Amino acid sequence: MNMFSVFWDYRTYFATGIQYTLLLAAIGVICGFVLGIIISLMRMSRFWLPKMIGSVWVEVLRGTPMVVQLFIIHYGLVAFGVKFTPIESGAITLSINSSAYLAEVFRAGIQGVDRGQSEAARSLGMTRSMTMRYIVLPQAVKSVLPAIGNEFITIIKESSIVSFIGVTDLMYQSGAIQGITYDYLSPLLVIAAIYFIMTFTLSKLLGAFERRLNTDDQR
Amino acid sequence: MISVKDLRKSFGKLEILKGIDIDIAKGEVVVVIGPSGSGKSTFLRCLNLLETPSGGQITFEGEPITDKRHNINATREKMGMVFQHFNLFPHKSVLQNLMLAPVKVKKQPPAEAERIALDLLRTVGLSDKKDAYPSQLSGGQKQRIAIARALAMQPHVMLFDEPTSALDPEMVGEVLEVMKKLAEGGMTMVIVTHEMGFAREVGDRIVFMDGGQIVEQGTPAEVFGNPQNSRTKDFLSKVL
């Protein structure tokens, strides 16, 4: 089949594509995760300012297309003298976008932890932040692991938009190969298969991770 | 040791505590009884400020803990609390449950915290469960671990919020046994409970609450043997 010969002939193209897709997805996942926790904590803050910043952050980033965010960051900010490389723009967009979704996931998880847990921790003299760090967050993250996995998979797929600004990810490479071979379908089928292998592997890994956490404590 | 003056607590328009005055001496075992909704648990939870009082003062070991500038975390280290629903940390082993606060809050060296924890597990008769997780324990065992966890901070007073109410009947005895040992060891205790037999046997003082107020208090013999107030009589006739 042509798909296989295209894959083999242009394997170095695909390898580069895989590299950039994984790099951007990994940055998006890690930064989105950390930023997401911070934003969710801000949203649940007792003080109005962080609460408002958190809410605006989530609503704006969820309520506008990611491509638009990407273009604003990459092309729009130049007007203010802020210039990013395509990879930087892609990483920033994926990170802040996933942080907004993950912030909502974490909020649900944190609010789902039994109140008695923080009461017990506070009764032992732990401060608010210790309680959050040692008692609430570990349980919250565990309970929303499936939802986090979903978001990770989404980021891998959505990272394909960075091809619009010239990052040589999988999507971009398939376009390049189309231009060389005039074969429109085969490169797309190849990258579809590669995306699928990435997301499927990730979802299996997360499933195994979940099971390992559950051996500790079934409630 | 604990001095409560005109303690009030409202949730919205609903007034739960309508002015509580009580002094609790070192080593005293005070048992709070009363019908549900009388404010017993709220009163107890105000003592370590898990509920913020709407009015009044609480002094603990000479410090006004209801004062805005007071660091409540430092006070809570000295006030252990045991909850109706245990509230063990499900993601931590029994030993970790006992060691977490001493190590993180009191900055105890882990080796010392572990020694104290193992000692306490022996006291509550659960040494063999040190590596178990809460989900692997029975209700009675969970509550004994919860007591040990509170004791690991070496508190000066222990607050018990209906510690046996969520237990199957056959497990109540083992928990009360641990509490009795604690009382005999001279621990200051404030206990909210429906276990009247236990209250009579272990309590130095019985406090009867109804409608957000202390209606009557005295020795077990006085309150159980010869109640003065009609509401106390009424309540006791229903539960005894």
Side-chain angles (χ1 to χ4, degrees):
Chain A
M1 236 174 94
N2 208 15
M3 178 181 155
F4 294 106
S5 61
V6 165
F7 173 67
W8 189 248
D9 293 345
Y10 295 94
R11 57 190 183 278
T12 52
Y13 281 64
F14 291 118
T16 310
I18 290 173
Q19 216 179 314
Y20 281 106
T21 293
L22 282 181
L23 174 73
L24 281 170
I27 293 174
V29 161
I30 294 164
C31 298
F33 189 90
V34 175
L35 207 54
I37 289 182
I38 296 169
I39 298 293
S40 75
L41 292 178
M42 283 170 72
R43 275 201 92 171
M44 289 181 292
S45 166
R46 285 168 292 162
F47 308 106
W48 70 270
L49 187 65
K51 203 174 188 156
M52 199 188 70
I53 295 173
S55 300
V56 169
W57 181 274
V58 169
E59 294 303 337
V60 168
L61 287 169
R62 279 199 316 183
T64 55
M66 198 171 8
V67 188
V68 176
Q69 295 163 14
L70 180 70
F71 282 21
I72 290 175
I73 287 168
H74 191 63
Y75 300 118
L77 292 185
V78 176
F80 299 98
V82 185
K83 209 164 163 5
F84 294 117
T85 65
I87 291 185
E88 284 167 357
S89 297
I92 293 169
T93 309
L94 288 168
S95 301
I96 61 174
N97 193 274
S98 66
S99 80
Y101 285 95
L102 286 173
E104 284 303 271
V105 168
F106 289 133
R107 190 166 69 112
I110 289 168
Q111 288 173 344
V113 174
D114 183 22
R115 248 177 73 94
Q117 289 290 311
S118 20
E119 285 183 354
R122 298 305 302 278
S123 81
L124 289 164
M126 287 190 219
T127 60
R128 248 173 233 278
S129 58
M130 280 174 160
T131 303
M132 196 42 91
R133 179 163 156 212
Y134 299 117
I135 304 303
V136 178
L137 273 183
Q139 295 183 56
V141 168
K142 212 188 97 176
S143 71
V144 297
L145 216 52
I148 295 174
N150 259 342
E151 181 56 27
F152 285 3
I153 286 169
T154 304
I155 296 172
I156 291 185
K157 294 183 298 176
E158 296 289 292
S159 69
S160 57
I161 63 162
V162 298
S163 61
F164 287 145
I165 56 169
V167 177
T168 53
D169 76 329
L170 274 173
M171 187 68 202
Y172 184 93
Q173 299 295 66
S174 85
I177 298 165
Q178 283 167 347
I180 302 169
T181 61
Y182 298 108
D183 177 350
Y184 197 75
L185 184 60
S186 298
L188 286 176
L189 289 177
V190 172
I191 64 162
I194 295 173
Y195 276 119
F196 179 77
I197 290 167
M198 285 178 180
T199 55
F200 188 72
T201 311
L202 180 67
S203 98
K204 287 290 155 207
L205 283 176
L206 285 166
F209 183 55
E210 251 172 74
R211 274 192 301 284
R212 220 200 65 194
L213 281 183
N214 279 332
T215 51
D216 283 357
D217 61 284
Q218 301 91 356
R219 257 175 296 169
Chain B
M1 179 179 224
I2 304 178
S3 171
V4 178
K5 295 240 169 347
D6 195 33
L7 176 66
R8 288 167 186 280
K9 174 70 185 176
S10 305
F11 291 102
K13 280 210 169 93
L14 190 65
E15 200 176 21
I16 304 289
L17 297 179
K18 300 172 181 166
I20 305 277
D21 292 276
I22 191 171
D23 284 292
I24 295 162
K26 190 167 160 41
E28 196 178 12
V29 177
V30 176
V31 182
V32 184
I33 60 171
S36 49
S38 57
K40 313 181 292 286
S41 285
T42 308
F43 161 67
L44 196 72
R45 291 161 57 83
C46 278
L47 290 182
N48 66 352
L49 300 199
L50 277 188
E51 302 290 353
T52 315
S54 315
Q57 289 100 43
I58 302 169
T59 317
F60 175 69
E61 296 184 330
E63 291 181 65
I65 64 171
T66 36
D67 197 282
K68 280 243 181 308
R69 279 155 307 181
H70 180 77
N71 174 13
I72 187 59
N73 295 323
T75 302
R76 285 185 181 139
E77 289 178 34
K78 297 177 218 150
M79 299 174 112
M81 187 165 205
V82 176
F83 300 84
Q84 182 176 353
H85 295 288
F86 332 126
N87 298 346
L88 292 179
F89 306 134
H91 59 305
K92 302 219 170 273
S93 72
V94 164
L95 197 58
Q96 290 169 333
N97 263 275
L98 266 67
M99 290 171 58
L100 183 68
V103 171
K104 299 295 179 192
V105 178
K106 284 177 97 176
K107 310 287 177 210
Q108 244 173 32
E112 191 193 342
E114 185 171 343
R115 190 180 53 74
I116 295 170
L118 292 174
D119 249 12
L120 284 166
L121 287 178
R122 210 168 305 130
T123 313
V124 299
L126 289 170
S127 297
D128 54 326
K129 298 290 184 193
K130 71 182 172 72
D131 296 317
Y133 280 84
S135 60
Q136 299 162 316
L137 305 173
S138 72
Q141 291 172 334
K142 281 183 195 163
Q143 197 60 300
R144 282 145 70 195
I145 298 295
I147 294 172
R149 178 179 66 180
L151 289 172
M153 289 297 285
Q154 300 170 309
H156 302 178
V157 56
M158 285 284 282
L159 312 174
F160 292 85
D161 188 3
E162 303 198 21
T164 59
S165 296
L167 294 176
D168 291 336
E170 75 269 23
M171 291 169 181
V172 170
E174 61 189 76
V175 171
L176 294 182
E177 201 52 45
V178 168
M179 291 168 62
K180 199 173 142 190
K181 252 199 276 182
L182 203 53
E184 283 163 357
M187 176 64 78
T188 312
M189 293 160 79
V190 186
I191 305 166
V192 171
T193 187
H194 293 292
E195 296 291 331
M196 295 303 152
F198 174 80
R200 179 181 277 184
E201 188 186 352
V202 178
D204 294 319
R205 175 156 46 136
I206 307 295
V207 172
F208 174 70
M209 278 182 69
D210 192 19
Q213 286 169 318
I214 294 176
V215 174
E216 186 166 355
Q217 55 178 313
T219 64
E222 286 166 0
V223 175
F224 288 111
N226 185 21
Q228 301 299 311
N229 189 291
S230 61
R231 280 192 280 175
T232 318
K233 286 179 191 163
D234 186 44
F235 174 74
L236 289 175
S237 72
K238 283 177 190 155
V239 297
L240 288 181

